[in-house]
Amino acid sequence: MAESLPWHARLLVHLAQRRKGERVRVPVETDTYWFQDLVRSYPPTPPGADLKPSDVALLQYTGGTTGTPKAAMLTHRNLVTNSLQARAWFPRAAAGREIFLGAIPFFHVYGLTSVLLFGVAVAAEIIVIPRPRPVDIVLEAIQRFRVTLFPGVPTLYAAINEHPNVGEYDLRSGALCVSGAAPLPREVFERFEALTGGRLVEGYGLTETSPLTHCTPLFGERRPASIGLPLPDTDARVVDMTTGEPLPPGDEGELEVRGPQVMLGYWNRPEETDEVFHDGWLRTGDVARMDADGFFHVVDRRKDMIDVSGFKVLPREVEEVLLMHPKVREAVVAGVPDAYRGETVKAFVVLKPGETASEEEIVEFCRLHLAVFKVPRKVEFRSELPKSMVGKYLRRVLIEEERTPKVPAR
């Protein structure tokens, strides 16, 4: 990577590597080459491939937050279409004048489309941050480059809100910010907008849809806890989880989508492909409802629903209550085995720096806002919660830990 830097920066990198003993030495007899030598020796030439829009462009693996990752076959049409759909949703984006902040990895489909491909579509300058930790790096980039579009995840926006020196940075660049990959808590976007003067909206999508299908309007009306409206050329509906029949506005069921951004299927997984498609619609696995004005609200993942003595508990509803507690910084709720109820609700909580709380205090707070069967019966305090590379909470990891027999210490 150092070879692509200006000479003075390259010199500093090489000096630092020598001091740390990290200088890479490549034996001449190996089949390993310096990238810059290859670039100089073999200038780029147009490939002779006969590509069609329906050809598979890449195998994009699902995150594996609820099970084994699967490779979604995304075509050239899928990716180009989703970039154009994003372009239509940002009508004020000026070609050649936008500055995108790339603080989410491009190997994740969200970063790939919302930053890299969309950025190319509008000839934007992209500020690439390979690792947004510590969050000071992000704050400095917003201040220095006057970022105009900042796609991110809720945990990243929350980290900016809670930075002890956030007031020392000038974050009022007027950036439009789109949160994806996980639900956006209301207190996070309200605090972020107050700090930055920008606009933070929530989007929705799946690896299987390249990924964007919905987004909150950037201007005008916004509905709290809503993923917004379907993007252009995207159809969405809510169906009964048992019969598959479409439901009227206000009723909760499974969200289904269809459109030109939907994948061909899963690579070498015909059975899983058949399971996820329903009469031409893609079954998202998310429980949702649509209001009378066409705004969609995702309630929770169908696979994450907790069955407490026959009563269904949606983790997101409990998590929203936990995040209302003034001492709670992060919270994830999961169903854990229970000999009497089948499953019981357990909360995994990270407190804000300097705060202390008891399990009884957290449970009592939940009793004030939730039905009895939804109140966590167990609370575990942690210093951090497992997250994916893009910052999405890994509920599956917590459940697996609970179901793994504990070996007593000797």
Side-chain angles (χ1 to χ4, degrees), residues 154-155 158 162 182-183 185 187-188 300 315-325 327-334 346-352 362 365-366 376 379-387 392-395 398:
T155 51
E162 297 165 8
E187 60 271 20
V188 171
D300 221 319
R316 182 176 179 179
E317 181 183 0
V318 183
E319 289 164 359
E320 289 283 354
V321 170
L322 289 166
L323 291 172
M324 289 166 53
H325 194 288
K327 296 181 180 179
V328 173
R329 179 181 180 180
E330 299 176 80
V332 171
V333 169
K346 180 171 181 177
F348 300 85
V349 172
V350 176
L351 297 176
K352 294 178 180 178
I362 299 298
F365 180 82
C366 290
V379 178
E380 181 177 325
F381 296 100
R382 294 196 171 201
S383 59
E384 61 181 3
L385 295 172
K387 301 182 183 73
K392 194 171 185 177
Y393 293 116
L394 296 175
R395 198 190 317 271
L398 296 171

Side-chain angles (χ1 to χ4, degrees), residues 17 28 31 56 96 151-152 170 208 210 214 222 238 241 249 259 272 284 337 351 388:
Q17 289 175 333
V28 177
D31 293 329
V56 175
D170 179 8
E208 294 86 346
S210 307
H214 293 69
R222 175 169 57 190
V238 177
M241 287 185 283
E272 285 91 337
T284 67
L351 297 176
S388 68

Side-chain angles (χ1 to χ4, degrees), residues 369-382:
H369 303 278
L370 294 168
V372 174
F373 66 92
K374 298 178 182 180
V375 174
R377 291 184 172 269
K378 299 178 180 179
V379 178
E380 181 177 325
F381 296 100
R382 294 196 171 201

Side-chain angles (χ1 to χ4, degrees), residues 209-229:
T209 57
S210 307
L212 303 173
T213 65
H214 293 69
C215 193
T216 302
L218 295 176
F219 310 100
E221 184 178 4
R222 175 169 57 190
R223 305 284 173 90
S226 169
I227 58 172
L229 303 165

Side-chain angles (χ1 to χ4, degrees), residues 60-370:
Q60 182 70 50
Y61 275 83
T62 60
T65 55
T66 58
T68 304
K70 299 180 287 291
M73 295 186 287
L74 301 181
T75 67
H76 292 276
R77 177 183 285 115
N78 290 154
L79 297 170
V80 170
T81 295
N82 210 223
S83 298
L84 295 177
Q85 289 170 317
R87 179 72 177 85
W89 206 257
F90 293 77
R92 300 185 187 180
R97 297 174 59 185
E98 301 299 326
I99 302 175
F100 287 15
L101 185 63
I104 46 180
F106 295 167
F107 61 75
H108 190 279
V109 69
Y110 178 37
L112 174 69
T113 298
S114 65
V115 180
L116 183 59
L117 299 184
F118 181 33
V120 170
V122 297
E125 178 181 356
I126 302 176
I127 310 303
V128 181
I129 299 179
R131 185 177 176 84
R133 289 182 288 272
V135 76
D136 304 68
I137 299 171
V138 177
L139 296 171
E140 290 167 3
I142 296 173
Q143 176 176 269
R144 177 182 176 188
F145 297 103
R146 312 309 295 167
V147 171
T148 61
L149 183 72
F150 175 18
V153 294
T155 51
L156 181 54
Y157 297 121
I160 291 174
N161 291 347
E162 297 165 8
H163 191 280
N165 301 320
V166 66
E168 298 178 7
Y169 294 89
D170 179 8
L171 305 180
R172 294 185 173 271
S173 62
L176 295 173
C177 306
V178 183
S179 178
L184 176 66
R186 182 168 184 168
E187 60 271 20
V188 171
F189 84 74
E190 288 180 346
R191 169 70 171 154
F192 184 84
E193 289 189 344
L195 284 171
T196 66
R199 174 86 165 178
L200 176 55
V201 299
E202 186 168 2
Y204 171 84
L206 306 165
T207 302
E208 294 86 346
T209 57
S210 307
L212 303 173
T213 65
H214 293 69
C215 193
T216 302
L218 295 176
F219 310 100
E221 184 178 4
R222 175 169 57 190
R223 305 284 173 90
S226 169
I227 58 172
L229 303 165
L231 297 186
D233 292 331
T234 303
D235 295 325
R237 67 180 186 180
V238 177
V239 302
D240 186 280
M241 287 185 283
T242 302
T243 66
E245 292 298 315
L247 295 172
D251 286 4
E252 293 184 358
E254 183 172 9
L255 175 62
E256 294 186 341
V257 297
R258 67 181 179 188
Q261 71 270 55
V262 175
M263 68 170 184
L264 290 180
Y266 296 120
W267 178 257
N268 289 335
R269 299 256 186 130
E271 293 182 0
E272 285 91 337
T273 298
D274 290 341
E275 288 176 3
V276 82
F277 282 103
H278 171 218
D279 293 336
W281 294 79
L282 178 74
R283 304 174 62 183
T284 67
D286 284 324
V287 181
R289 69 177 185 277
M290 183 185 73
D291 64 27
D293 296 321
F295 282 76
F296 283 78
H297 304 254
V298 172
V299 180
D300 221 319
R301 290 288 299 172
R302 182 175 181 176
K303 292 181 179 179
D304 291 338
M305 292 176 70
I306 305 169
D307 190 341
V308 180
S309 301
F311 293 97
K312 302 298 183 183
V313 178
L314 299 170
R316 182 176 179 179
E317 181 183 0
V318 183
E319 289 164 359
E320 289 283 354
V321 170
L322 289 166
L323 291 172
M324 289 166 53
H325 194 288
K327 296 181 180 179
V328 173
R329 179 181 180 180
E330 299 176 80
V332 171
V333 169
V336 298
D338 183 272
Y340 179 69
R341 299 175 181 82
E343 282 188 308
T344 194
V345 181
K346 180 171 181 177
F348 300 85
V349 172
V350 176
L351 297 176
K352 294 178 180 178
E355 296 287 359
T356 59
S358 65
E359 182 176 8
E360 293 74 17
E361 179 183 348
I362 299 298
V363 170
E364 189 59 35
F365 180 82
C366 290
R367 285 199 182 103
L368 298 175
H369 303 278
L370 294 168

Side-chain angles (χ1 to χ4, degrees), residues 42-64:
Y42 304 96
T45 54
D50 181 20
L51 293 175
K52 300 184 293 296
S54 58
D55 287 343
V56 175
L58 79 156
L59 302 178
Q60 182 70 50
Y61 275 83
T62 60

Side-chain angles (χ1 to χ4, degrees), residues 16-36:
Q17 289 175 333
R18 283 197 184 96
R19 282 200 304 269
K20 296 179 181 179
E22 296 175 350
R23 183 76 173 156
V24 177
R25 301 186 183 281
V26 182
V28 177
E29 65 274 11
T30 67
D31 293 329
T32 304
Y33 304 90
W34 290 105
F35 179 69
Q36 294 298 325

